[in-house]
Amino acid sequence: MTAVGTLPATPSRGTERAVSQRTRTLITLTVITAVAVGVGVILSLFYAGTDVTQGNVQRIFYIHVASFFGAMVAFGAGVVGGIAYLRTRNPKWDTLALAGCEVGLALSLVNLATGSIWARPIWNTWWTWDPRLTSAAVMALTYAAYLFLRNGIESPETRRRFASVYAILAYSTVIVTLVIIRIRPDTIHPAVIGRSAASAEGGFNLTSSMGITLAYHAVVWLVLVPLVLMWWRIRVENLADQVREARARVAEIG
Amino acid sequence: MTTPETTAFMLFGFAVTFGILGVWGVMLAARWRSLRHDLEVLETLEREDG
């Protein structure tokens, strides 16, 4: 609100104020997310009951499952950004897609790593070419390739168009990874929610404390974690855009 | 039935989770600092040449 007798804020001051307001919001959201993740770890350790057949290692399943949900949301942002860019040609949507794919990759690495660590004492191996594990690995590699390939294209317009189409098509690997334990009867990967395949090994029945802990993790990793990580990534990409623009201006002067 | 002792794997799992996210965060922060530095240099050049 402008006080009587004072000049209205200039557009640049207004923009600066909006940026600092967004920064404050992001920092607040980051702190809330960190606390929420910490509370989740406490719930996993002290609230959820111990699985008698697996011992404490079962507790990392909450993060294992929730990080996959987070990756799904982040990769979904890649699809939204890709479709919106192809429709509008606004580079901001490509930035959203890039952030989504990169954050999704980080979260799917968490999912793969925690799964592998859980598998060692339960399946007696770090890795096996089970349909679910293979599809999860293909998914992560597909998105790693997205980051490498888009960096290899010089023309910004071509890069954005290619990356948009790629991000949309790559989501098929997420869908396959999600449904494969329901459609392949030979998988040994247990389904945490719903019925597992007859061949599944290492499944467990969710008690009420386990269900509440899993639901809490799912909400935190589905909403807060991808949102905050993608927001930070978008900020870095916006700064990179400013550097590219400044570089072009300096080259023109020179 | 005896519950197996798998606490070390659980701790390893949590450490790897926060390790991956921590490394990603540190890389992002390093990139931010490097870009800020580049922008300051370019803006100085722009002022001097312009």
Coordinates of all heavy atoms in Angstrom, one line a residue, chain A residues 135-210:
Chain A
S135 N 12.8 -52.4 -14.8 CA 12.0 -51.2 -15.3 C 12.4 -50.0 -14.5 O 12.5 -48.9 -15.2 CB 10.5 -51.5 -15.2 OG 10.1 -51.6 -13.9
A136 N 12.7 -50.1 -13.2 CA 13.1 -48.9 -12.5 C 14.4 -48.4 -12.9 O 14.7 -47.2 -13.0 CB 13.1 -49.2 -11.0
A137 N 15.3 -49.3 -13.2 CA 16.7 -48.9 -13.7 C 16.6 -48.3 -15.1 O 17.2 -47.3 -15.4 CB 17.6 -50.1 -13.8
V138 N 15.7 -48.8 -16.0 CA 15.5 -48.3 -17.3 C 14.9 -46.9 -17.2 O 15.4 -45.9 -17.9 CB 14.6 -49.2 -18.2 CG1 14.1 -48.5 -19.4 CG2 15.3 -50.5 -18.5
M139 N 14.0 -46.7 -16.3 CA 13.4 -45.4 -16.1 C 14.5 -44.3 -15.7 O 14.5 -43.3 -16.3 CB 12.3 -45.5 -14.9 CG 11.7 -44.2 -14.6 SD 10.6 -44.4 -13.2 CE 11.7 -44.4 -11.8
A140 N 15.3 -44.7 -14.7 CA 16.4 -43.8 -14.3 C 17.3 -43.5 -15.4 O 17.7 -42.3 -15.6 CB 17.1 -44.3 -13.1
L141 N 17.7 -44.5 -16.2 CA 18.7 -44.3 -17.3 C 18.0 -43.4 -18.4 O 18.7 -42.6 -19.0 CB 19.1 -45.6 -17.8 CG 20.1 -46.4 -16.9 CD1 20.3 -47.9 -17.5 CD2 21.4 -45.7 -16.8
T142 N 16.7 -43.6 -18.6 CA 16.0 -42.8 -19.6 C 16.1 -41.3 -19.3 O 16.4 -40.5 -20.1 CB 14.6 -43.3 -19.7 OG1 14.5 -44.7 -20.0 CG2 13.8 -42.5 -20.8
Y143 N 15.9 -41.0 -18.0 CA 15.9 -39.6 -17.6 C 17.4 -39.1 -17.5 O 17.6 -37.9 -17.7 CB 15.2 -39.4 -16.3 CG 13.7 -39.4 -16.6 CD1 12.9 -40.5 -16.4 CD2 13.1 -38.2 -17.1 CE1 11.5 -40.5 -16.7 CE2 11.7 -38.2 -17.3 CZ 10.9 -39.3 -17.2 OH 9.6 -39.3 -17.5
A144 N 18.3 -40.0 -17.2 CA 19.7 -39.5 -17.2 C 20.1 -39.2 -18.6 O 20.8 -38.2 -18.9 CB 20.6 -40.6 -16.7
A145 N 19.6 -40.0 -19.6 CA 19.9 -39.7 -21.0 C 19.3 -38.4 -21.4 O 19.8 -37.6 -22.2 CB 19.4 -40.9 -21.9
Y146 N 18.1 -38.1 -20.9 CA 17.4 -36.8 -21.2 C 18.4 -35.6 -20.9 O 18.5 -34.7 -21.7 CB 16.1 -36.7 -20.4 CG 15.5 -35.3 -20.3 CD1 14.6 -34.9 -21.2 CD2 15.9 -34.4 -19.3 CE1 14.0 -33.6 -21.1 CE2 15.3 -33.2 -19.2 CZ 14.4 -32.8 -20.1 OH 13.8 -31.5 -20.0
L147 N 19.0 -35.7 -19.7 CA 19.9 -34.6 -19.3 C 21.1 -34.5 -20.2 O 21.5 -33.4 -20.5 CB 20.3 -34.7 -17.8 CG 19.2 -34.7 -16.8 CD1 19.7 -35.0 -15.4 CD2 18.4 -33.4 -16.8
F148 N 21.7 -35.7 -20.5 CA 22.9 -35.6 -21.4 C 22.5 -35.2 -22.8 O 23.2 -34.3 -23.4 CB 23.5 -37.1 -21.5 CG 24.3 -37.4 -20.3 CD1 23.9 -38.5 -19.4 CD2 25.4 -36.8 -19.9 CE1 24.6 -38.8 -18.3 CE2 26.2 -37.1 -18.8 CZ 25.7 -38.1 -18.0
L149 N 21.4 -35.7 -23.3 CA 21.1 -35.4 -24.7 C 20.7 -33.9 -24.9 O 21.1 -33.3 -25.9 CB 19.9 -36.3 -25.2 CG 20.3 -37.8 -25.4 CD1 19.0 -38.6 -25.7 CD2 21.3 -37.9 -26.5
R150 N 19.9 -33.4 -24.0 CA 19.5 -32.0 -24.1 C 20.7 -31.0 -24.1 O 20.7 -30.0 -24.7 CB 18.4 -31.5 -23.2 CG 18.8 -31.4 -21.7 CD 17.6 -30.8 -21.0 NE 17.6 -29.3 -21.2 CZ 16.5 -28.6 -21.3 NH1 15.3 -29.2 -21.1 NH2 16.5 -27.3 -21.5
N151 N 21.7 -31.4 -23.3 CA 23.0 -30.6 -23.2 C 23.8 -30.6 -24.5 O 24.6 -29.8 -24.7 CB 23.8 -31.0 -22.0 CG 23.2 -30.5 -20.7 OD1 22.4 -29.5 -20.7 ND2 23.6 -31.2 -19.6
G152 N 23.5 -31.7 -25.3 CA 24.3 -31.8 -26.6 C 23.7 -31.1 -27.7 O 24.3 -31.1 -28.8
I153 N 22.6 -30.4 -27.6 CA 22.0 -29.7 -28.7 C 22.2 -28.2 -28.6 O 21.9 -27.6 -27.5 CB 20.4 -30.0 -28.8 CG1 20.2 -31.5 -28.9 CG2 19.8 -29.2 -29.9 CD1 18.8 -31.9 -28.8
E154 N 22.8 -27.6 -29.6 CA 23.3 -26.2 -29.5 C 22.1 -25.2 -29.6 O 22.0 -24.4 -28.8 CB 24.2 -25.9 -30.7 CG 25.7 -26.3 -30.5 CD 26.4 -25.4 -29.5 OE1 26.3 -24.2 -29.7 OE2 27.0 -25.9 -28.5
S155 N 21.3 -25.4 -30.6 CA 20.2 -24.4 -30.8 C 19.2 -24.5 -29.7 O 18.6 -25.6 -29.5 CB 19.5 -24.7 -32.2 OG 18.2 -24.2 -32.2
P156 N 18.9 -23.4 -29.0 CA 18.0 -23.4 -27.9 C 16.6 -23.9 -28.3 O 15.9 -24.7 -27.5 CB 17.9 -22.0 -27.4 CG 19.1 -21.3 -27.9 CD 19.5 -22.0 -29.2
E157 N 16.1 -23.4 -29.4 CA 14.7 -23.8 -29.9 C 14.6 -25.3 -30.1 O 13.7 -26.0 -29.7 CB 14.4 -23.0 -31.1 CG 13.1 -23.4 -31.8 CD 11.8 -23.3 -30.9 OE1 11.8 -22.6 -29.9 OE2 10.9 -24.1 -31.2
T158 N 15.6 -25.8 -30.9 CA 15.7 -27.3 -31.2 C 15.8 -28.1 -29.9 O 15.1 -29.1 -29.7 CB 16.8 -27.6 -32.1 OG1 16.8 -26.7 -33.2 CG2 16.8 -29.0 -32.6
R159 N 16.6 -27.6 -29.0 CA 16.9 -28.3 -27.7 C 15.6 -28.4 -26.9 O 15.2 -29.4 -26.4 CB 17.9 -27.6 -26.9 CG 18.2 -28.2 -25.5 CD 19.3 -27.6 -24.8 NE 19.0 -26.2 -24.4 CZ 19.8 -25.1 -24.8 NH1 20.9 -25.3 -25.5 NH2 19.4 -23.9 -24.4
R160 N 14.9 -27.3 -26.8 CA 13.6 -27.2 -26.0 C 12.5 -28.1 -26.7 O 11.8 -28.8 -25.9 CB 13.1 -25.8 -25.9 CG 14.0 -24.9 -25.0 CD 13.5 -23.5 -25.0 NE 14.4 -22.7 -24.4 CZ 14.8 -21.5 -24.8 NH1 14.3 -21.0 -26.0 NH2 15.7 -20.8 -24.2
R161 N 12.5 -28.1 -28.0 CA 11.4 -28.9 -28.7 C 11.7 -30.4 -28.5 O 10.9 -31.2 -28.1 CB 11.4 -28.6 -30.2 CG 10.0 -28.6 -30.8 CD 9.9 -28.1 -32.2 NE 11.0 -28.4 -33.0 CZ 11.8 -27.6 -33.7 NH1 11.6 -26.3 -33.5 NH2 12.8 -28.0 -34.5
F162 N 13.0 -30.8 -28.7 CA 13.4 -32.2 -28.5 C 13.2 -32.6 -27.1 O 12.6 -33.7 -26.8 CB 14.9 -32.3 -28.8 CG 15.5 -33.6 -28.4 CD1 15.4 -34.8 -29.1 CD2 16.2 -33.6 -27.2 CE1 15.9 -36.0 -28.7 CE2 16.8 -34.8 -26.7 CZ 16.6 -36.0 -27.5
A163 N 13.6 -31.7 -26.1 CA 13.5 -32.1 -24.7 C 12.0 -32.3 -24.3 O 11.7 -33.2 -23.5 CB 14.2 -31.0 -23.8
S164 N 11.1 -31.4 -24.9 CA 9.7 -31.5 -24.5 C 9.1 -32.8 -25.0 O 8.4 -33.5 -24.2 CB 8.9 -30.4 -25.2 OG 9.4 -29.1 -24.7
V165 N 9.4 -33.2 -26.2 CA 8.9 -34.5 -26.8 C 9.5 -35.6 -26.0 O 8.7 -36.6 -25.6 CB 9.2 -34.6 -28.3 CG1 8.8 -36.0 -28.8 CG2 8.5 -33.5 -29.1
Y166 N 10.8 -35.6 -25.7 CA 11.4 -36.6 -24.9 C 10.8 -36.8 -23.5 O 10.5 -37.9 -23.1 CB 12.9 -36.3 -24.8 CG 13.8 -37.5 -24.3 CD1 14.7 -38.1 -25.1 CD2 13.7 -37.9 -23.0 CE1 15.5 -39.1 -24.7 CE2 14.5 -39.0 -22.5 CZ 15.4 -39.6 -23.3 OH 16.2 -40.6 -22.9
A167 N 10.6 -35.7 -22.8 CA 10.0 -35.7 -21.5 C 8.6 -36.3 -21.5 O 8.3 -37.1 -20.5 CB 10.0 -34.3 -20.8
I168 N 7.9 -36.1 -22.5 CA 6.5 -36.6 -22.6 C 6.6 -38.1 -22.8 O 6.0 -38.9 -22.1 CB 5.7 -36.0 -23.7 CG1 5.5 -34.5 -23.4 CG2 4.4 -36.7 -23.9 CD1 5.1 -33.6 -24.6
L169 N 7.4 -38.5 -23.8 CA 7.5 -40.0 -24.1 C 8.2 -40.8 -23.0 O 7.8 -41.9 -22.7 CB 8.3 -40.2 -25.4 CG 7.7 -39.6 -26.7 CD1 8.6 -39.8 -27.9 CD2 6.3 -40.2 -27.0
A170 N 9.1 -40.2 -22.3 CA 9.9 -40.9 -21.2 C 9.0 -41.3 -20.1 O 9.3 -42.2 -19.3 CB 11.0 -40.0 -20.7
Y171 N 7.8 -40.6 -20.0 CA 6.9 -40.9 -18.8 C 6.4 -42.3 -19.0 O 5.9 -42.9 -18.0 CB 5.8 -39.9 -18.7 CG 5.2 -39.8 -17.3 CD1 5.9 -39.2 -16.3 CD2 4.0 -40.4 -17.0 CE1 5.4 -39.2 -15.0 CE2 3.5 -40.4 -15.8 CZ 4.2 -39.8 -14.7 OH 3.7 -39.7 -13.5
S172 N 6.4 -42.9 -20.2 CA 5.9 -44.3 -20.4 C 6.7 -45.2 -19.5 O 6.2 -46.2 -19.0 CB 6.0 -44.7 -21.8 OG 7.3 -44.6 -22.3
T173 N 8.0 -44.9 -19.3 CA 8.8 -45.8 -18.4 C 8.4 -45.7 -16.9 O 8.5 -46.7 -16.2 CB 10.3 -45.4 -18.5 OG1 10.5 -44.1 -18.0 CG2 10.9 -45.5 -19.9
V174 N 7.8 -44.6 -16.5 CA 7.3 -44.4 -15.2 C 6.1 -45.3 -15.0 O 5.9 -46.0 -14.0 CB 7.0 -42.9 -14.9 CG1 6.5 -42.8 -13.4 CG2 8.2 -42.1 -15.1
I175 N 5.2 -45.2 -16.0 CA 3.9 -46.0 -16.0 C 4.2 -47.5 -15.9 O 3.7 -48.2 -15.1 CB 3.0 -45.6 -17.1 CG1 2.6 -44.1 -17.0 CG2 1.8 -46.5 -17.2 CD1 2.0 -43.5 -18.2
V176 N 5.2 -47.9 -16.8 CA 5.5 -49.3 -16.8 C 6.1 -49.7 -15.5 O 5.7 -50.8 -14.9 CB 6.6 -49.6 -17.9 CG1 7.2 -51.0 -17.8 CG2 5.9 -49.4 -19.3
T177 N 7.0 -48.9 -14.9 CA 7.5 -49.2 -13.6 C 6.4 -49.3 -12.5 O 6.5 -50.2 -11.6 CB 8.6 -48.2 -13.1 OG1 9.5 -48.1 -14.2 CG2 9.3 -48.6 -11.9
L178 N 5.5 -48.5 -12.6 CA 4.4 -48.5 -11.6 C 3.5 -49.7 -11.7 O 3.2 -50.3 -10.6 CB 3.5 -47.2 -11.8 CG 2.4 -47.0 -10.8 CD1 2.9 -46.7 -9.4 CD2 1.5 -45.9 -11.3
V179 N 3.2 -50.1 -12.9 CA 2.2 -51.2 -13.0 C 2.8 -52.6 -13.2 O 2.1 -53.6 -13.1 CB 1.2 -51.0 -14.2 CG1 0.5 -49.7 -14.0 CG2 2.0 -51.0 -15.6
I180 N 4.1 -52.7 -13.4 CA 4.7 -54.0 -13.7 C 4.5 -55.0 -12.6 O 4.4 -56.2 -12.9 CB 6.2 -53.8 -14.1 CG1 6.6 -55.0 -15.0 CG2 7.1 -53.7 -12.9 CD1 7.8 -54.7 -15.9
I181 N 4.5 -54.6 -11.4 CA 4.3 -55.6 -10.3 C 2.9 -56.2 -10.3 O 2.6 -57.2 -9.6 CB 4.7 -55.2 -8.9 CG1 4.1 -53.8 -8.5 CG2 6.2 -55.1 -8.7 CD1 4.2 -53.4 -7.1
R182 N 2.0 -55.5 -11.0 CA 0.6 -55.9 -11.0 C 0.4 -56.8 -12.3 O -0.6 -57.6 -12.3 CB -0.4 -54.8 -11.1 CG -0.1 -53.6 -10.2 CD -0.6 -53.8 -8.8 NE -0.2 -52.7 -8.0 CZ -0.2 -52.8 -6.6 NH1 -0.7 -53.9 -6.0 NH2 0.2 -51.8 -5.9
I183 N 1.2 -56.7 -13.3 CA 0.9 -57.4 -14.5 C 1.9 -58.5 -14.8 O 1.7 -59.4 -15.7 CB 0.9 -56.5 -15.8 CG1 2.2 -55.6 -15.9 CG2 -0.3 -55.5 -15.7 CD1 2.2 -54.8 -17.2
R184 N 3.1 -58.5 -14.1 CA 4.0 -59.6 -14.3 C 3.9 -60.6 -13.1 O 4.3 -60.2 -12.0 CB 5.4 -59.1 -14.4 CG 5.8 -58.4 -15.8 CD 6.0 -59.5 -16.9 NE 7.1 -60.3 -16.6 CZ 8.3 -60.2 -17.3 NH1 8.5 -59.2 -18.1 NH2 9.3 -61.0 -17.0
P185 N 3.5 -61.8 -13.4 CA 3.4 -62.8 -12.2 C 4.7 -63.3 -11.7 O 4.7 -63.9 -10.6 CB 2.5 -63.9 -12.8 CG 2.8 -63.8 -14.3 CD 3.1 -62.4 -14.6
D186 N 5.8 -63.1 -12.5 CA 7.1 -63.7 -12.1 C 7.9 -62.7 -11.3 O 9.1 -63.0 -10.9 CB 7.8 -64.1 -13.3 CG 8.0 -63.0 -14.3 OD1 7.2 -62.0 -14.3 OD2 9.0 -63.0 -15.1
T187 N 7.4 -61.5 -10.9 CA 8.2 -60.6 -10.1 C 8.4 -61.1 -8.7 O 7.4 -61.6 -8.1 CB 7.7 -59.2 -10.2 OG1 8.5 -58.3 -9.4 CG2 6.3 -59.1 -9.6
I188 N 9.6 -60.8 -8.1 CA 9.7 -61.2 -6.7 C 9.5 -59.9 -5.8 O 9.6 -60.0 -4.6 CB 11.1 -61.8 -6.4 CG1 12.3 -60.9 -6.8 CG2 11.2 -63.2 -7.1 CD1 13.6 -61.4 -6.2
H189 N 9.4 -58.7 -6.5 CA 9.2 -57.5 -5.7 C 7.8 -57.5 -5.1 O 6.8 -57.6 -5.8 CB 9.3 -56.3 -6.7 CG 9.4 -55.0 -6.0 ND1 8.4 -54.4 -5.4 CD2 10.5 -54.1 -5.9 CE1 8.7 -53.2 -4.9 NE2 10.0 -53.1 -5.2
P190 N 7.7 -57.3 -3.8 CA 6.4 -57.2 -3.1 C 5.7 -55.9 -3.4 O 6.3 -54.9 -3.6 CB 6.8 -57.3 -1.6 CG 8.1 -56.8 -1.5 CD 8.8 -57.1 -2.8
A191 N 4.4 -56.0 -3.4 CA 3.6 -54.8 -3.5 C 3.3 -54.3 -2.0 O 2.7 -55.1 -1.3 CB 2.3 -55.0 -4.2
V192 N 3.7 -53.1 -1.7 CA 3.4 -52.6 -0.3 C 1.9 -52.3 -0.2 O 1.4 -52.5 0.9 CB 4.3 -51.4 -0.1 CG1 4.0 -50.8 1.3 CG2 5.8 -51.7 -0.2
I193 N 1.3 -51.7 -1.2 CA -0.1 -51.4 -1.2 C -0.8 -52.4 -2.1 O -0.5 -52.5 -3.3 CB -0.3 -49.9 -1.6 CG1 0.4 -49.0 -0.7 CG2 -1.8 -49.6 -1.6 CD1 0.7 -47.6 -1.3
G194 N -1.8 -53.1 -1.6 CA -2.5 -54.1 -2.4 C -1.8 -55.5 -2.4 O -0.9 -55.7 -1.6
R195 N -2.4 -56.4 -3.2 CA -1.9 -57.7 -3.2 C -0.6 -57.9 -4.0 O -0.4 -57.4 -5.1 CB -2.9 -58.7 -3.8 CG -4.0 -59.0 -2.8 CD -5.0 -60.0 -3.4 NE -4.4 -61.3 -3.6 CZ -5.0 -62.3 -4.2 NH1 -6.2 -62.2 -4.6 NH2 -4.3 -63.4 -4.4
S196 N 0.4 -58.7 -3.4 CA 1.6 -59.0 -4.1 C 1.4 -60.2 -5.0 O 0.5 -60.9 -4.9 CB 2.7 -59.3 -3.1 OG 3.0 -58.2 -2.3
A197 N 2.3 -60.3 -6.0 CA 2.3 -61.5 -6.9 C 2.7 -62.7 -6.0 O 3.3 -62.6 -5.0 CB 3.3 -61.3 -8.0
A198 N 2.2 -63.9 -6.5 CA 2.5 -65.1 -5.7 C 4.0 -65.4 -5.5 O 4.4 -66.0 -4.5 CB 1.8 -66.3 -6.4
S199 N 4.8 -64.9 -6.5 CA 6.2 -65.2 -6.4 C 7.0 -64.1 -5.6 O 8.2 -64.2 -5.4 CB 6.8 -65.2 -7.8 OG 6.4 -64.0 -8.5
A200 N 6.3 -63.1 -5.0 CA 6.9 -62.0 -4.3 C 7.6 -62.5 -3.0 O 7.1 -63.4 -2.4 CB 5.9 -61.0 -3.9
E201 N 8.8 -62.0 -2.8 CA 9.5 -62.3 -1.6 C 9.8 -61.1 -0.8 O 10.3 -60.1 -1.3 CB 10.9 -63.0 -2.0 CG 10.7 -64.4 -2.7 CD 12.0 -64.9 -3.2 OE1 13.1 -64.5 -2.7 OE2 12.0 -65.7 -4.1
G202 N 9.6 -61.2 0.5 CA 9.9 -60.1 1.4 C 8.8 -59.1 1.6 O 9.0 -58.0 2.1
G203 N 7.6 -59.6 1.3 CA 6.4 -58.7 1.6 C 6.1 -58.7 3.1 O 6.6 -59.5 3.9
F204 N 5.3 -57.7 3.5 CA 4.9 -57.6 4.9 C 3.5 -57.0 5.0 O 3.0 -56.3 4.1 CB 5.9 -56.8 5.7 CG 6.2 -55.5 5.0 CD1 5.4 -54.3 5.2 CD2 7.3 -55.4 4.1 CE1 5.7 -53.1 4.6 CE2 7.6 -54.2 3.5 CZ 6.9 -53.0 3.7
N205 N 2.8 -57.4 6.0 CA 1.5 -56.8 6.3 C 1.6 -55.5 7.0 O 2.3 -55.4 8.0 CB 0.6 -57.8 7.1 CG 0.3 -59.1 6.3 OD1 0.1 -59.0 5.1 ND2 0.4 -60.2 7.0
L206 N 0.9 -54.5 6.5 CA 1.0 -53.2 7.1 C 0.1 -53.1 8.4 O -1.1 -53.4 8.3 CB 0.5 -52.1 6.2 CG 1.4 -51.6 5.0 CD1 0.7 -50.6 4.2 CD2 2.7 -51.1 5.6
T207 N 0.7 -52.9 9.5 CA -0.1 -52.6 10.7 C -0.6 -51.2 10.7 O -0.2 -50.4 9.8 CB 0.7 -52.8 12.0 OG1 1.8 -51.9 12.0 CG2 1.3 -54.3 12.0
S208 N -1.5 -50.8 11.6 CA -2.0 -49.4 11.5 C -0.9 -48.4 11.7 O -0.8 -47.4 11.0 CB -3.1 -49.2 12.6 OG -2.5 -49.3 13.9
S209 N 0.1 -48.6 12.6 CA 1.2 -47.6 12.8 C 2.1 -47.6 11.5 O 2.5 -46.5 11.1 CB 2.0 -48.0 14.0 OG 2.8 -49.2 13.8
M210 N 2.3 -48.7 10.8 CA 3.0 -48.7 9.6 C 2.3 -48.0 8.5 O 2.9 -47.2 7.7 CB 3.3 -50.2 9.1 CG 4.3 -51.0 9.9 SD 4.3 -52.7 9.4 CE 5.7 -53.3 10.2

